[in-house]
Amino acid sequence: MSRISIDQVKHVAHLARLAMTEEEAVAYTEQLDKMISFAELLNELDTDHVEPTSHVLYMKNVLREDKANKGLPQEEVLKNAPEHQDGYIKVPSIIE
């Protein structure tokens, strides 16, 4: 017995605004039924002693600590700027 009907497949296709022929609906119904059958096999596994995870691999925070570091001296930065004025780098205006 199929776990999903052709009408259900057509309904989901309609919700997703997908055009689907009758042959495609039959093919997708068979494919989805196989997927559901496989997923039901997973329900037979004993997972009582398996901890829930959000990722299959152990993940740790690899980012450095967020702390302020002293930057370059203002004079050194401004000497590489094409134009500067009053201690700021001048750039072309983008606001009219």
Side-chain angles (χ1 to χ4, degrees):
M1 175 171 197
S2 181
R3 289 157 191 82
I4 188 165
S5 69
I6 292 178
D7 290 335
Q8 289 172 318
V9 171
K10 288 179 181 178
H11 177 69
V12 171
H14 173 73
L15 292 174
R17 305 294 190 254
L18 298 173
M20 187 175 293
T21 66
E22 191 66 31
E23 295 81 24
E24 289 173 326
V26 170
Y28 287 129
T29 302
E30 292 170 4
Q31 292 173 10
L32 288 169
D33 185 55
K34 288 179 184 177
M35 289 181 213
I36 294 169
S37 296
F38 180 74
E40 286 178 347
L41 282 175
L42 298 176
N43 288 333
E44 296 175 11
L45 294 174
D46 179 20
T47 58
D48 290 339
H49 303 291
V50 178
E51 286 192 39
T53 61
S54 61
H55 200 279
V56 294
L57 302 174
Y58 173 71
M59 301 295 285
K60 66 177 185 167
N61 187 355
V62 294
L63 302 175
R64 66 173 169 78
E65 184 181 341
D66 189 17
K67 61 181 180 180
N69 292 326
K70 186 163 176 59
L72 295 172
Q74 186 178 23
E75 299 80 30
E76 191 175 332
V77 173
L78 292 177
K79 76 176 183 180
N80 293 316
E83 287 188 62
H84 58 87
Q85 178 181 6
D86 300 328
Y88 295 99
I89 297 173
K90 286 183 74 172
V91 296
S93 177
I94 59 169
I95 302 174
E96 295 180 19

